[in-house]
Amino acid sequence: MPSTPKPKMFENTFKGVRVLVTGHTGCKGTWLSHWLHQLGAEVHGIALPPEGASGAFHTQSGIDKLISNRFFDIRDKGSLAQAVTEIEPQIVFHLAAQ
């Protein structure tokens, strides 16, 4: 009996979807951003500036793969409101934390 091919998880779920990831320069945010990019999402990030150019953010996700990078504290309500208005995300993953 031939085996049935398994569907790819999340196939086309994020393709072309505008996604905002807060904390995209942290460990988990970097990997999520990279994964979403691989799935075809239009990834936007908001975070504090990354510490040094040798972190996972620069080597795994790649700043050039994101549609936009915004570096500010998400507690700045004005900057956050402006960014969300401009990005118009369809999905938000909130990973920013201290």
Coordinates of all heavy atoms in Angstrom, one line a residue:
M1 N 0.8 -1.2 0.0 CA 0.0 0.0 0.0 C 0.9 1.2 0.0 O 1.7 1.4 0.9 CB -0.9 0.0 1.2 CG -1.7 1.2 1.4 SD -2.8 1.0 2.9 CE -4.3 1.4 2.1
P2 N 0.7 2.2 -1.0 CA 1.5 3.4 -1.0 C 1.2 4.3 0.2 O 0.1 4.4 0.6 CB 1.2 4.0 -2.3 CG -0.1 3.4 -2.7 CD -0.3 2.1 -2.1
S3 N 2.3 5.0 0.6 CA 2.1 5.9 1.7 C 1.4 7.2 1.2 O 1.7 7.6 0.1 CB 3.4 6.2 2.4 OG 4.2 6.9 1.5
T4 N 0.6 7.8 2.1 CA -0.1 9.0 1.7 C 0.9 10.2 2.1 O 1.3 10.2 3.2 CB -1.4 9.2 2.5 OG1 -2.2 8.0 2.3 CG2 -2.1 10.4 2.1
P5 N 1.1 11.1 1.2 CA 2.0 12.3 1.5 C 1.3 13.1 2.6 O 0.1 13.3 2.6 CB 2.1 13.0 0.2 CG 1.2 12.5 -0.7 CD 0.6 11.2 -0.2
K6 N 2.1 13.5 3.6 CA 1.6 14.3 4.7 C 1.6 15.8 4.2 O 2.5 16.3 3.6 CB 2.5 14.2 5.9 CG 2.5 12.8 6.5 CD 3.4 12.7 7.7 CE 3.4 11.3 8.2 NZ 4.2 11.2 9.4
P7 N 0.5 16.5 4.6 CA 0.5 17.9 4.3 C 1.6 18.7 5.0 O 1.9 18.4 6.1 CB -0.9 18.4 4.7 CG -1.3 17.4 5.7 CD -0.6 16.1 5.4
K8 N 2.1 19.7 4.4 CA 3.1 20.6 5.1 C 2.4 21.4 6.1 O 1.4 22.1 5.8 CB 3.8 21.4 4.0 CG 4.7 20.6 3.1 CD 5.4 21.5 2.2 CE 6.2 20.7 1.2 NZ 6.9 21.6 0.2
M9 N 2.9 21.5 7.3 CA 2.3 22.3 8.3 C 2.4 23.8 8.0 O 3.4 24.2 7.5 CB 3.0 22.0 9.7 CG 2.4 22.7 10.9 SD 3.3 22.5 12.4 CE 2.8 20.8 12.8
F10 N 1.3 24.4 8.1 CA 1.1 25.9 7.9 C 1.3 26.2 6.4 O 1.5 27.4 6.1 CB 2.1 26.7 8.7 CG 1.9 26.5 10.2 CD1 2.8 25.8 11.0 CD2 0.7 26.9 10.8 CE1 2.7 25.6 12.3 CE2 0.6 26.7 12.2 CZ 1.5 26.1 12.9
E11 N 1.2 25.3 5.5 CA 1.4 25.6 4.1 C 0.5 26.7 3.6 O -0.7 26.5 3.8 CB 1.2 24.3 3.2 CG 1.6 24.5 1.8 CD 1.5 23.2 1.0 OE1 0.7 22.4 1.3 OE2 2.3 23.1 0.1
N12 N 1.0 27.8 3.2 CA 0.2 28.9 2.7 C -0.6 29.7 3.7 O -1.3 30.6 3.4 CB -0.7 28.5 1.5 CG 0.0 28.0 0.3 OD1 1.1 28.6 0.0 ND2 -0.5 27.0 -0.3
T13 N -0.4 29.3 5.0 CA -1.2 30.0 6.1 C -0.7 31.4 6.2 O -1.5 32.3 6.4 CB -1.0 29.3 7.4 OG1 -1.5 27.9 7.3 CG2 -1.7 30.0 8.5
F14 N 0.6 31.7 6.1 CA 1.2 33.0 6.3 C 1.6 33.7 5.0 O 2.1 34.8 5.0 CB 2.4 32.9 7.3 CG 1.9 32.5 8.7 CD1 2.1 31.2 9.1 CD2 1.4 33.5 9.5 CE1 1.7 30.9 10.4 CE2 1.0 33.2 10.8 CZ 1.2 31.9 11.3
K15 N 1.5 33.0 3.9 CA 2.0 33.5 2.6 C 1.3 34.8 2.3 O 0.0 34.9 2.2 CB 1.7 32.5 1.5 CG 2.4 32.9 0.2 CD 2.3 31.8 -0.8 CE 3.0 32.3 -2.0 NZ 4.0 31.3 -2.5
G16 N 2.1 35.9 2.2 CA 1.6 37.2 1.9 C 0.9 38.0 3.0 O 0.3 39.0 2.8
V17 N 0.9 37.4 4.2 CA 0.2 38.0 5.4 C 1.2 39.0 6.0 O 2.3 38.7 6.2 CB -0.2 36.9 6.4 CG1 -0.8 37.5 7.6 CG2 -1.2 36.0 5.7
R18 N 0.7 40.2 6.3 CA 1.5 41.2 7.1 C 1.5 40.8 8.5 O 0.4 40.8 9.2 CB 0.8 42.6 6.9 CG 1.4 43.4 5.7 CD 0.8 44.8 5.7 NE -0.6 44.9 6.1 CZ -1.6 44.6 5.3 NH1 -1.5 44.2 4.1 NH2 -2.9 44.8 5.8
V19 N 2.7 40.5 9.0 CA 2.8 40.1 10.4 C 3.7 41.1 11.2 O 4.8 41.5 10.6 CB 3.4 38.7 10.5 CG1 3.6 38.3 11.9 CG2 2.6 37.7 9.8
L20 N 3.3 41.5 12.3 CA 4.2 42.3 13.2 C 4.7 41.5 14.4 O 3.9 40.8 15.0 CB 3.4 43.5 13.7 CG 4.0 44.3 14.8 CD1 5.3 45.0 14.3 CD2 3.1 45.4 15.3
V21 N 6.0 41.5 14.5 CA 6.6 40.7 15.7 C 7.2 41.7 16.6 O 8.2 42.4 16.2 CB 7.6 39.7 15.2 CG1 8.3 39.0 16.4 CG2 7.0 38.7 14.2
T22 N 6.7 41.9 17.8 CA 7.4 42.7 18.8 C 8.5 41.8 19.4 O 8.3 40.6 19.6 CB 6.5 43.3 19.8 OG1 6.0 42.2 20.7 CG2 5.3 44.0 19.2
G23 N 9.6 42.4 19.7 CA 10.7 41.7 20.3 C 11.4 40.8 19.2 O 12.0 39.8 19.5
H24 N 11.4 41.3 18.0 CA 12.0 40.5 16.9 C 13.5 40.3 16.9 O 14.1 39.6 16.2 CB 11.5 41.0 15.6 CG 12.2 42.3 15.1 ND1 11.9 43.5 15.8 CD2 13.0 42.6 14.1 CE1 12.6 44.4 15.2 NE2 13.3 43.9 14.2
T25 N 14.2 41.1 17.8 CA 15.6 40.9 17.9 C 16.1 40.0 19.0 O 17.3 39.7 19.2 CB 16.3 42.3 18.1 OG1 15.8 42.9 19.4 CG2 16.0 43.3 17.0
G26 N 15.1 39.5 19.8 CA 15.5 38.6 20.9 C 15.6 37.2 20.3 O 15.3 36.9 19.2
C27 N 15.9 36.3 21.2 CA 16.1 34.9 20.8 C 14.9 34.3 20.1 O 14.9 33.8 19.0 CB 16.6 34.0 22.0 SG 17.0 32.3 21.5
K28 N 13.8 34.3 20.8 CA 12.6 33.7 20.3 C 12.0 34.5 19.1 O 11.5 34.0 18.1 CB 11.5 33.5 21.4 CG 11.9 32.5 22.4 CD 10.9 32.4 23.5 CE 11.3 31.4 24.5 NZ 12.3 31.8 25.4
G29 N 12.1 35.8 19.2 CA 11.6 36.7 18.2 C 12.3 36.5 16.9 O 11.8 36.6 15.8
T30 N 13.6 36.4 17.0 CA 14.5 36.2 15.8 C 14.1 34.9 15.1 O 13.9 34.9 13.9 CB 16.0 36.1 16.2 OG1 16.4 37.3 16.8 CG2 16.8 35.7 15.0
W31 N 13.9 33.8 15.8 CA 13.6 32.5 15.2 C 12.2 32.6 14.6 O 11.9 32.1 13.5 CB 13.7 31.4 16.1 CG 15.2 31.1 16.3 CD1 16.0 31.4 17.4 CD2 16.1 30.4 15.4 NE1 17.3 31.0 17.2 CE2 17.3 30.4 16.0 CE3 15.9 29.9 14.1 CZ2 18.4 29.8 15.3 CZ3 17.0 29.3 13.5 CH2 18.2 29.3 14.1
L32 N 11.2 33.2 15.3 CA 9.9 33.3 14.8 C 9.9 34.2 13.5 O 9.2 33.8 12.5 CB 8.9 34.0 15.8 CG 7.5 34.2 15.4 CD1 6.8 32.9 15.0 CD2 6.7 34.9 16.5
S33 N 10.6 35.3 13.5 CA 10.7 36.1 12.3 C 11.2 35.4 11.1 O 10.7 35.5 10.0 CB 11.5 37.4 12.6 OG 10.9 38.2 13.6
H34 N 12.3 34.6 11.4 CA 12.9 33.8 10.3 C 11.9 32.8 9.8 O 11.8 32.6 8.6 CB 14.2 33.1 10.9 CG 14.8 32.2 9.9 ND1 15.5 32.7 8.8 CD2 14.9 30.9 9.8 CE1 16.0 31.7 8.1 NE2 15.7 30.6 8.7
W35 N 11.3 32.1 10.7 CA 10.3 31.1 10.3 C 9.1 31.7 9.5 O 8.7 31.1 8.4 CB 9.8 30.3 11.5 CG 8.8 29.2 11.3 CD1 9.1 28.1 10.6 CD2 7.5 29.1 11.8 NE1 8.0 27.3 10.6 CE2 7.0 27.9 11.4 CE3 6.7 30.0 12.6 CZ2 5.7 27.5 11.7 CZ3 5.5 29.6 12.9 CH2 5.0 28.3 12.5
L36 N 8.6 32.8 9.9 CA 7.5 33.4 9.2 C 8.0 33.9 7.8 O 7.2 33.7 6.9 CB 7.0 34.6 10.0 CG 6.2 34.3 11.3 CD1 6.1 35.5 12.2 CD2 4.9 33.7 11.0
H37 N 9.2 34.4 7.7 CA 9.7 34.8 6.4 C 9.8 33.6 5.5 O 9.4 33.7 4.3 CB 11.1 35.4 6.6 CG 11.8 35.7 5.3 ND1 11.4 36.7 4.5 CD2 12.8 35.0 4.7 CE1 12.2 36.6 3.4 NE2 13.0 35.6 3.5
Q38 N 10.3 32.5 6.0 CA 10.3 31.2 5.2 C 9.0 30.8 4.8 O 8.9 30.1 3.7 CB 11.0 30.1 6.0 CG 12.5 30.4 6.3 CD 13.3 30.5 5.1 OE1 13.2 29.7 4.1 NE2 14.2 31.5 5.0
L39 N 7.9 31.1 5.5 CA 6.6 30.7 5.2 C 5.9 31.7 4.3 O 4.7 31.5 3.9 CB 5.7 30.5 6.5 CG 6.1 29.3 7.3 CD1 5.3 29.4 8.7 CD2 5.8 28.0 6.6
G40 N 6.6 32.8 3.9 CA 6.1 33.7 2.9 C 5.4 34.9 3.5 O 4.8 35.7 2.8
A41 N 5.5 35.1 4.8 CA 4.9 36.3 5.5 C 5.7 37.6 5.2 O 6.9 37.5 4.9 CB 4.8 36.1 7.0
E42 N 5.0 38.7 5.2 CA 5.6 40.0 5.1 C 5.9 40.4 6.6 O 5.0 40.9 7.3 CB 4.7 41.0 4.4 CG 4.4 40.6 3.0 CD 3.4 41.6 2.4 OE1 3.1 42.6 3.0 OE2 2.9 41.2 1.3
V43 N 7.1 40.2 7.1 CA 7.4 40.4 8.5 C 7.9 41.8 8.8 O 8.9 42.3 8.1 CB 8.5 39.3 8.9 CG1 8.7 39.4 10.4 CG2 8.0 37.9 8.6
H44 N 7.3 42.4 9.8 CA 7.7 43.7 10.3 C 8.1 43.5 11.8 O 7.5 42.7 12.5 CB 6.6 44.7 10.2 CG 6.1 44.9 8.8 ND1 6.5 46.0 8.1 CD2 5.2 44.2 8.1 CE1 5.9 46.0 6.9 NE2 5.1 44.9 6.9
G45 N 9.1 44.2 12.2 CA 9.6 44.0 13.6 C 9.7 45.3 14.3 O 10.0 46.3 13.8
I46 N 9.3 45.2 15.6 CA 9.5 46.3 16.6 C 10.3 45.8 17.8 O 9.8 44.8 18.3 CB 8.2 47.0 17.0 CG1 7.4 47.6 15.8 CG2 8.4 48.0 18.1 CD1 6.1 48.1 16.2
A47 N 11.3 46.4 18.1 CA 12.1 46.0 19.3 C 13.1 47.1 19.7 O 13.3 48.1 19.0 CB 12.9 44.7 19.0
L48 N 13.7 46.8 20.9 CA 14.8 47.7 21.3 C 15.9 47.3 20.3 O 16.0 46.2 19.8 CB 15.2 47.4 22.7 CG 14.2 47.7 23.8 CD1 14.6 47.2 25.2 CD2 13.9 49.2 23.8
P49 N 16.9 48.2 20.1 CA 18.0 47.9 19.2 C 18.7 46.7 19.7 O 18.9 46.5 20.9 CB 18.9 49.2 19.3 CG 18.0 50.3 19.8 CD 17.0 49.6 20.7
P50 N 19.2 45.8 18.8 CA 19.9 44.6 19.2 C 21.3 45.0 19.8 O 21.9 46.0 19.4 CB 20.1 43.8 17.8 CG 19.9 44.9 16.8 CD 19.0 45.9 17.3
E51 N 21.7 44.1 20.7 CA 23.0 44.4 21.3 C 24.1 43.7 20.5 O 24.2 42.5 20.5 CB 23.0 43.8 22.7 CG 22.0 44.5 23.6 CD 22.1 43.9 25.0 OE1 23.0 43.2 25.4 OE2 21.1 44.3 25.8
G52 N 24.8 44.5 19.7 CA 25.9 44.0 18.9 C 25.5 43.3 17.6 O 24.3 42.9 17.5
A53 N 26.4 43.2 16.7 CA 26.0 42.7 15.4 C 26.3 41.2 15.3 O 26.1 40.6 14.3 CB 26.9 43.4 14.3
S54 N 26.6 40.6 16.4 CA 26.9 39.1 16.4 C 25.8 38.3 16.9 O 25.9 37.1 17.0 CB 28.2 38.8 17.2 OG 28.0 39.2 18.5
G55 N 24.7 38.9 17.3 CA 23.6 38.1 17.9 C 22.8 37.3 16.8 O 23.1 37.4 15.6
A56 N 21.9 36.5 17.3 CA 21.2 35.6 16.5 C 20.3 36.4 15.4 O 20.1 35.9 14.3 CB 20.2 34.7 17.3
F57 N 19.9 37.6 15.8 CA 19.1 38.4 14.9 C 19.8 38.6 13.6 O 19.2 38.5 12.5 CB 18.7 39.7 15.6 CG 18.0 40.7 14.7 CD1 16.8 40.4 14.2 CD2 18.7 41.8 14.3 CE1 16.1 41.3 13.4 CE2 18.0 42.7 13.5 CZ 16.7 42.5 13.0
H58 N 21.1 39.0 13.7 CA 21.8 39.3 12.4 C 22.2 38.0 11.7 O 22.3 38.1 10.5 CB 23.0 40.1 12.8 CG 22.6 41.5 13.2 ND1 22.3 42.5 12.4 CD2 22.5 42.0 14.5 CE1 22.0 43.6 13.0 NE2 22.1 43.3 14.3
T59 N 22.5 36.9 12.4 CA 23.0 35.8 11.7 C 21.9 34.8 11.2 O 22.1 34.2 10.2 CB 24.0 35.0 12.6 OG1 23.3 34.6 13.8 CG2 25.2 35.9 12.9
Q60 N 20.8 34.7 11.9 CA 19.8 33.8 11.5 C 18.6 34.4 10.8 O 18.3 33.9 9.7 CB 19.2 33.1 12.8 CG 20.2 32.3 13.6 CD 20.9 31.2 12.7 OE1 20.2 30.6 11.9 NE2 22.1 30.9 12.9
S61 N 18.0 35.5 11.3 CA 16.9 36.1 10.7 C 17.3 36.9 9.5 O 16.8 36.9 8.4 CB 16.1 36.9 11.7 OG 15.1 37.6 11.1
G62 N 18.3 37.8 9.8 CA 18.8 38.7 8.8 C 17.9 39.9 8.7 O 16.8 39.8 8.3
I63 N 18.5 41.0 9.0 CA 17.7 42.3 9.0 C 17.2 42.6 7.6 O 16.2 43.2 7.5 CB 18.6 43.4 9.5 CG1 17.8 44.6 10.0 CG2 19.7 43.9 8.5 CD1 18.6 45.5 10.9
D64 N 17.8 42.1 6.6 CA 17.4 42.4 5.2 C 16.2 41.6 4.8 O 15.6 41.9 3.8 CB 18.6 42.1 4.2 CG 19.1 40.7 4.3 OD1 19.1 40.1 5.4 OD2 19.5 40.2 3.2
K65 N 15.8 40.6 5.5 CA 14.7 39.7 5.2 C 13.3 40.3 5.7 O 12.3 39.9 5.2 CB 14.9 38.3 5.7 CG 16.0 37.6 5.1 CD 16.1 36.2 5.6 CE 17.3 35.5 5.0 NZ 17.5 34.2 5.6
L66 N 13.4 41.2 6.6 CA 12.2 41.8 7.1 C 11.8 43.0 6.3 O 12.6 43.7 5.7 CB 12.4 42.3 8.6 CG 12.2 41.2 9.6 CD1 13.2 40.1 9.6 CD2 12.1 41.8 11.0
I67 N 10.5 43.2 6.2 CA 10.0 44.3 5.4 C 10.4 45.6 6.1 O 10.8 46.6 5.4 CB 8.5 44.2 5.2 CG1 8.0 42.9 4.5 CG2 7.9 45.5 4.5 CD1 8.6 42.8 3.1
S68 N 10.2 45.7 7.4 CA 10.7 46.9 8.2 C 11.1 46.5 9.5 O 10.7 45.5 10.1 CB 9.5 47.9 8.3 OG 8.5 47.4 9.1
N69 N 12.1 47.2 10.0 CA 12.6 47.1 11.4 C 12.5 48.5 12.1 O 12.9 49.5 11.5 CB 14.1 46.8 11.4 CG 14.4 45.4 10.8 OD1 14.2 44.5 11.5 ND2 14.8 45.3 9.6
R70 N 11.8 48.5 13.2 CA 11.7 49.7 13.9 C 12.2 49.5 15.3 O 11.9 48.5 16.0 CB 10.2 50.1 14.0 CG 9.7 50.4 12.6 CD 8.1 50.4 12.6 NE 7.6 50.4 11.3 CZ 7.1 51.4 10.7 NH1 6.9 52.5 11.3 NH2 6.6 51.3 9.4
F71 N 13.1 50.4 15.7 CA 13.8 50.2 17.0 C 13.4 51.3 18.0 O 13.8 52.4 17.9 CB 15.3 50.2 16.8 CG 15.7 49.0 15.9 CD1 16.3 49.3 14.7 CD2 15.6 47.7 16.3 CE1 16.7 48.3 13.9 CE2 16.0 46.7 15.5 CZ 16.5 46.9 14.3
F72 N 12.5 50.9 18.9 CA 12.0 51.8 20.0 C 11.4 50.9 21.1 O 11.1 49.8 20.9 CB 11.1 52.9 19.5 CG 9.8 52.4 18.9 CD1 8.7 52.1 19.7 CD2 9.7 52.2 17.5 CE1 7.5 51.6 19.1 CE2 8.5 51.7 17.0 CZ 7.4 51.4 17.8
D73 N 11.2 51.5 22.2 CA 10.5 50.9 23.3 C 9.0 50.8 23.1 O 8.4 51.9 22.8 CB 10.8 51.6 24.6 CG 10.4 50.9 25.9 OD1 9.4 50.2 25.8 OD2 11.2 51.0 26.8
I74 N 8.4 49.7 23.1 CA 7.0 49.5 22.8 C 6.1 50.3 23.8 O 4.9 50.4 23.6 CB 6.5 48.1 22.6 CG1 6.7 47.3 23.9 CG2 7.2 47.4 21.5 CD1 5.9 46.0 24.0
R75 N 6.7 50.7 25.0 CA 5.9 51.4 25.9 C 5.7 52.9 25.5 O 5.0 53.6 26.1 CB 6.6 51.4 27.3 CG 6.6 50.0 27.9 CD 7.4 49.9 29.2 NE 8.8 50.1 28.9 CZ 9.8 50.1 29.8 NH1 9.5 49.8 31.0 NH2 11.1 50.3 29.4
D76 N 6.4 53.3 24.4 CA 6.2 54.6 23.8 C 5.0 54.5 23.0 O 5.0 54.1 21.8 CB 7.4 54.9 23.0 CG 7.3 56.3 22.2 OD1 6.2 56.8 22.2 OD2 8.3 56.8 21.8
K77 N 3.8 54.9 23.6 CA 2.5 54.7 23.0 C 2.4 55.4 21.6 O 1.8 54.9 20.7 CB 1.4 55.2 23.9 CG 1.3 54.3 25.1 CD 0.2 54.9 26.1 CE 0.2 54.1 27.4 NZ -0.8 54.6 28.3
G78 N 3.0 56.6 21.5 CA 2.9 57.4 20.3 C 3.6 56.7 19.1 O 3.1 56.5 18.0
S79 N 4.8 56.2 19.4 CA 5.6 55.5 18.3 C 4.9 54.2 18.0 O 4.9 53.8 16.8 CB 7.0 55.2 18.8 OG 7.7 56.4 19.0
L80 N 4.4 53.5 19.0 CA 3.7 52.2 18.7 C 2.5 52.4 17.9 O 2.2 51.7 16.9 CB 3.4 51.5 20.1 CG 2.7 50.1 19.9 CD1 3.6 49.2 19.2 CD2 2.4 49.6 21.3
A81 N 1.7 53.4 18.3 CA 0.5 53.7 17.5 C 0.8 54.0 16.0 O 0.1 53.6 15.1 CB -0.3 54.8 18.2
Q82 N 1.8 54.8 15.9 CA 2.2 55.2 14.5 C 2.7 54.0 13.7 O 2.3 53.9 12.5 CB 3.3 56.3 14.5 CG 3.8 56.7 13.2 CD 4.9 57.8 13.2 OE1 5.2 58.3 14.3 NE2 5.4 58.1 12.1
A83 N 3.5 53.2 14.3 CA 4.0 52.0 13.6 C 2.8 51.0 13.2 O 2.8 50.6 12.1 CB 5.0 51.3 14.5
V84 N 1.9 50.8 14.1 CA 0.8 49.9 13.8 C -0.1 50.5 12.8 O -0.6 49.8 11.9 CB 0.0 49.6 15.1 CG1 -1.3 48.9 14.8 CG2 0.8 48.8 16.1
T85 N -0.3 51.8 12.8 CA -1.1 52.5 11.7 C -0.4 52.3 10.4 O -1.1 52.1 9.4 CB -1.3 54.0 12.1 OG1 -2.0 54.1 13.3 CG2 -2.1 54.7 11.0
E86 N 0.9 52.5 10.3 CA 1.6 52.4 9.1 C 1.7 51.0 8.6 O 1.6 50.7 7.4 CB 3.0 53.0 9.2 CG 3.0 54.5 9.4 CD 4.3 55.1 9.7 OE1 5.3 54.3 9.8 OE2 4.4 56.3 9.9
I87 N 2.0 50.0 9.4 CA 2.1 48.6 9.1 C 0.8 47.9 8.7 O 0.7 47.1 7.8 CB 2.9 47.8 10.2 CG1 4.3 48.4 10.3 CG2 2.9 46.3 9.9 CD1 5.0 47.9 11.6
E88 N -0.2 48.3 9.4 CA -1.5 47.6 9.3 C -1.4 46.1 9.4 O -1.8 45.4 8.4 CB -2.2 48.1 8.0 CG -2.6 49.5 7.9 CD -3.3 49.9 6.7 OE1 -3.1 49.3 5.6 OE2 -4.1 50.8 6.8
P89 N -0.9 45.6 10.5 CA -0.7 44.1 10.5 C -2.0 43.4 10.6 O -3.0 43.8 11.1 CB 0.1 44.0 11.9 CG -0.3 45.1 12.7 CD -0.5 46.3 11.7
Q90 N -1.9 42.2 10.0 CA -3.0 41.3 10.0 C -2.9 40.3 11.2 O -3.9 39.8 11.7 CB -3.1 40.5 8.7 CG -3.4 41.4 7.5 CD -3.1 40.7 6.2 OE1 -2.0 40.6 5.8 NE2 -4.2 40.3 5.5
I91 N -1.7 40.1 11.6 CA -1.4 39.2 12.8 C -0.3 39.9 13.6 O 0.7 40.4 13.0 CB -0.9 37.8 12.4 CG1 -2.1 37.1 11.6 CG2 -0.5 37.0 13.6 CD1 -1.6 35.8 11.0
V92 N -0.4 39.9 14.9 CA 0.6 40.4 15.8 C 1.1 39.3 16.7 O 0.3 38.6 17.4 CB 0.1 41.6 16.6 CG1 1.2 42.1 17.6 CG2 -0.3 42.7 15.7
F93 N 2.4 39.1 16.8 CA 3.0 38.2 17.8 C 3.8 39.1 18.7 O 4.7 39.8 18.3 CB 4.0 37.2 17.1 CG 3.4 36.2 16.3 CD1 3.2 36.3 14.9 CD2 2.9 35.0 16.8 CE1 2.6 35.3 14.1 CE2 2.3 34.0 16.1 CZ 2.1 34.2 14.7
H94 N 3.4 39.1 20.0 CA 4.0 40.0 21.0 C 5.0 39.2 21.8 O 4.6 38.4 22.6 CB 2.9 40.6 21.9 CG 3.4 41.4 23.0 ND1 4.3 42.4 22.8 CD2 3.2 41.4 24.3 CE1 4.6 43.0 23.9 NE2 3.9 42.4 24.9
L95 N 6.3 39.4 21.5 CA 7.3 38.7 22.2 C 8.3 39.7 23.0 O 9.3 39.2 23.5 CB 8.2 37.8 21.3 CG 7.5 36.5 20.8 CD1 6.5 36.8 19.8 CD2 8.5 35.6 20.4
A96 N 8.0 40.9 22.9 CA 8.8 41.9 23.6 C 8.7 41.8 25.1 O 7.6 41.7 25.6 CB 8.4 43.3 23.2
A97 N 9.8 41.8 25.8 CA 9.8 41.6 27.3 C 11.1 42.1 27.8 O 12.1 42.1 27.1 CB 9.5 40.2 27.7
Q98 N 11.2 42.4 29.1 CA 12.4 42.7 29.7 C 12.5 41.9 31.0 O 11.6 41.6 31.7 CB 12.5 44.2 30.1 CG 12.8 45.1 29.0 CD 14.2 44.9 28.4 OE1 15.2 44.8 29.2 NE2 14.4 44.9 27.2

